[in-house]
Amino acid sequence: MKLLLALTTSVTMAVLLTAAGVPTAVTYVPHDKVAAMMVKGGAIIEDPGLRVLAQRRGTGEAEVHQKTNHVFIVVDGEATFVTGGSLVNAKQTAPDQLRGSSIQGGETRHLTKGDVITIPAKTPHWFKEIPTKTIAYYAVNIEN
């Protein structure tokens, strides 16, 4: 867990060094609050241009975010994850966000505990299969 925290911190700091105006304040979130948020899912840090989420989820729709870059850090579970390609049955579900039923084409990867993957803005991505029923990960979201 300490290694994962160090990795998360390193990745976050590298991203922050390139993002103008972020962060605006020191933010400390104790481990008990992070653990509680991982159970229900949601934001653990909110700052202009930066959002860090603790997520536990099953499969869902494919997504494209026009202005959001992701860094996913897997802490539990495994999944078949698809990036690239094109959304099937795409529809706009929020400003700067499209969702679809699946992805046609793209690159498929098997994600497991300890993996880190980046997803640039405008890149379709999808948790296609989750054999462990859920996958837990931190999502570091950086807005363009």
Side-chain angles (χ1 to χ4, degrees):
M1 189 66 175
K2 288 182 182 182
L3 176 62
L4 183 59
L5 182 58
L7 177 62
T8 302
T9 301
S10 296
V11 169
T12 301
M13 290 308 296
V15 168
L16 292 179
L17 291 174
T18 62
V22 175
T24 59
V26 173
T27 303
Y28 167 73
V29 183
H31 68 275
D32 56 334
K33 290 189 179 185
V34 173
M37 189 57 71
M38 184 60 78
V39 171
K40 66 180 184 174
I44 54 177
I45 295 175
E46 297 256 12
D47 212 332
L50 171 70
R51 190 170 193 221
V52 179
L53 304 170
Q55 297 279 49
R56 180 173 295 275
R57 62 176 286 173
T59 57
E61 293 181 299
E63 304 176 351
V64 174
H65 307 283
Q66 297 301 315
K67 297 181 179 180
T68 304
N69 303 283
H70 297 299
V71 179
F72 288 174
I73 303 156
V74 180
V75 296
D76 192 33
E78 62 181 272
T80 301
F81 190 69
V82 181
T83 57
S86 56
L87 291 180
V88 174
N89 301 318
K91 59 188 176 293
Q92 185 167 357
T93 57
D96 300 315
Q97 178 175 281
L98 300 170
R99 291 188 185 240
S101 57
S102 62
I103 290 178
Q104 183 174 8
E107 187 171 349
T108 301
R109 294 176 178 86
H110 183 78
L111 302 182
T112 61
K113 181 178 178 175
D115 288 346
V116 176
I117 188 167
T118 62
I119 304 107
K122 301 179 183 175
T123 302
H125 53 284
W126 177 39
F127 286 97
K128 181 178 180 177
E129 297 170 345
I130 302 178
T132 52
K133 303 296 181 213
T134 63
I135 185 165
Y137 61 98
Y138 295 107
V140 180
N141 296 340
I142 305 100
E143 298 296 320
N144 285 341

